Amino acid sequence: MNHEPQSPTLYTILVYSENIAGVLNQITAVFTRRQVNIESLNVCASSTPGVHKYTITCYCTEEMVKMLKKQIEKRIDVLQARYFTDEDIFILETSLLKVSTPAMLDTPDVCRMVRLHDARIVEVNPTYSTIEKTGMTADILSLYDSLHDLGVVLQFVRSGRICITKGYREQLDDYLALREATRRHNQELSNNA
């Protein structure tokens, strides 16, 4: 029997909650208590009206991600939490790079790198130019590394991960429909009693 410890995997945890103040603090407290570092965090409205979606990434073992999911779902305002590996979801990030315009004009490789990485220049002024790149984390970091090696990067920022599942429907919608059907059924039983 193999008793070697599992190596950490990058997991994406999707959490759905009602839009109530303090939920984010409750969710991040679960990670703090378990001493798991959050790699990225993105919060936005979901496709379900009145529900917010938290996209959280972290490196941990499968055992730990299962524990995190259970602890997050215990929060009163959390509707559902699910975890995924990269194979289970469609992922994107976006980034902005500010580069020196004079250095860009003096270094032809900058424009070549922008084209090679399928990025786009969104602003140019005499002092700096802004480059936008959307894609996978590795692609974004590859562009950054290439431009950084040329010595032209003034600023760099990238968003947290956004993702959707590969399933046909939002799994939360199925869960909420089942919950509502159960609530109605229980109400009918209590009315008939």
PDB file of all heavy atoms in Angstrom, residues 5 45 58 85 98 117 162 168:
ATOM      1  N   PRO A   5       2.492  11.039   0.704  1.00  0.00           N
ATOM      2  CA  PRO A   5       1.528  12.135   0.735  1.00  0.00           C
ATOM      3  C   PRO A   5       1.199  12.602  -0.679  1.00  0.00           C
ATOM      4  O   PRO A   5       2.044  12.565  -1.567  1.00  0.00           O
ATOM      5  CB  PRO A   5       2.234  13.234   1.537  1.00  0.00           C
ATOM      6  CG  PRO A   5       3.676  12.874   1.516  1.00  0.00           C
ATOM      7  CD  PRO A   5       3.774  11.392   1.287  1.00  0.00           C
ATOM      8  N   ALA A  45     -21.685  38.606  -9.996  1.00  0.00           N
ATOM      9  CA  ALA A  45     -23.048  38.093 -10.072  1.00  0.00           C
ATOM     10  C   ALA A  45     -23.042  36.855 -10.960  1.00  0.00           C
ATOM     11  O   ALA A  45     -22.286  36.784 -11.937  1.00  0.00           O
ATOM     12  CB  ALA A  45     -23.975  39.158 -10.641  1.00  0.00           C
ATOM     13  N   CYS A  58      -6.833  27.407  -5.362  1.00  0.00           N
ATOM     14  CA  CYS A  58      -5.866  27.108  -4.312  1.00  0.00           C
ATOM     15  C   CYS A  58      -5.168  25.794  -4.635  1.00  0.00           C
ATOM     16  O   CYS A  58      -5.721  24.939  -5.323  1.00  0.00           O
ATOM     17  CB  CYS A  58      -6.542  27.023  -2.944  1.00  0.00           C
ATOM     18  SG  CYS A  58      -7.734  25.683  -2.794  1.00  0.00           S
ATOM     19  N   THR A  85     -10.961  20.410 -11.156  1.00  0.00           N
ATOM     20  CA  THR A  85      -9.606  20.523 -11.678  1.00  0.00           C
ATOM     21  C   THR A  85      -9.724  21.238 -13.027  1.00  0.00           C
ATOM     22  O   THR A  85     -10.824  21.406 -13.557  1.00  0.00           O
ATOM     23  CB  THR A  85      -8.940  19.139 -11.861  1.00  0.00           C
ATOM     24  OG1 THR A  85      -9.746  18.361 -12.749  1.00  0.00           O
ATOM     25  CG2 THR A  85      -8.793  18.427 -10.519  1.00  0.00           C
ATOM     26  N   LYS A  98       1.697  47.578 -18.880  1.00  0.00           N
ATOM     27  CA  LYS A  98       2.085  48.927 -19.285  1.00  0.00           C
ATOM     28  C   LYS A  98       3.558  48.851 -19.647  1.00  0.00           C
ATOM     29  O   LYS A  98       4.375  48.380 -18.857  1.00  0.00           O
ATOM     30  CB  LYS A  98       1.869  49.923 -18.156  1.00  0.00           C
ATOM     31  CG  LYS A  98       2.183  51.362 -18.556  1.00  0.00           C
ATOM     32  CD  LYS A  98       2.078  52.309 -17.387  1.00  0.00           C
ATOM     33  CE  LYS A  98       0.642  52.596 -17.063  1.00  0.00           C
ATOM     34  NZ  LYS A  98       0.522  53.631 -16.011  1.00  0.00           N
ATOM     35  N   HIS A 117       2.116  36.423 -29.153  1.00  0.00           N
ATOM     36  CA  HIS A 117       1.293  35.970 -28.027  1.00  0.00           C
ATOM     37  C   HIS A 117      -0.191  36.301 -28.203  1.00  0.00           C
ATOM     38  O   HIS A 117      -0.981  36.143 -27.272  1.00  0.00           O
ATOM     39  CB  HIS A 117       1.815  36.580 -26.719  1.00  0.00           C
ATOM     40  CG  HIS A 117       3.093  35.964 -26.269  1.00  0.00           C
ATOM     41  ND1 HIS A 117       4.321  36.434 -26.676  1.00  0.00           N
ATOM     42  CD2 HIS A 117       3.337  34.914 -25.446  1.00  0.00           C
ATOM     43  CE1 HIS A 117       5.273  35.704 -26.126  1.00  0.00           C
ATOM     44  NE2 HIS A 117       4.698  34.772 -25.386  1.00  0.00           N
ATOM     45  N   ILE A 162     -11.602  33.345 -14.224  1.00  0.00           N
ATOM     46  CA  ILE A 162     -13.036  33.197 -14.406  1.00  0.00           C
ATOM     47  C   ILE A 162     -13.229  31.870 -15.124  1.00  0.00           C
ATOM     48  O   ILE A 162     -12.363  31.427 -15.883  1.00  0.00           O
ATOM     49  CB  ILE A 162     -13.685  34.361 -15.193  1.00  0.00           C
ATOM     50  CG1 ILE A 162     -13.065  34.513 -16.578  1.00  0.00           C
ATOM     51  CG2 ILE A 162     -13.597  35.651 -14.399  1.00  0.00           C
ATOM     52  CD1 ILE A 162     -13.816  35.475 -17.476  1.00  0.00           C
ATOM     53  N   TYR A 168     -23.957  21.210 -19.412  1.00  0.00           N
ATOM     54  CA  TYR A 168     -24.917  21.935 -20.239  1.00  0.00           C
ATOM     55  C   TYR A 168     -25.561  23.089 -19.483  1.00  0.00           C
ATOM     56  O   TYR A 168     -25.709  24.174 -20.002  1.00  0.00           O
ATOM     57  CB  TYR A 168     -25.994  20.957 -20.743  1.00  0.00           C
ATOM     58  CG  TYR A 168     -27.082  21.599 -21.552  1.00  0.00           C
ATOM     59  CD1 TYR A 168     -26.825  22.064 -22.840  1.00  0.00           C
ATOM     60  CD2 TYR A 168     -28.352  21.748 -21.032  1.00  0.00           C
ATOM     61  CE1 TYR A 168     -27.822  22.663 -23.585  1.00  0.00           C
ATOM     62  CE2 TYR A 168     -29.363  22.337 -21.777  1.00  0.00           C
ATOM     63  CZ  TYR A 168     -29.084  22.792 -23.053  1.00  0.00           C
ATOM     64  OH  TYR A 168     -30.076  23.385 -23.787  1.00  0.00           O
TER      65      TYR A 168
END
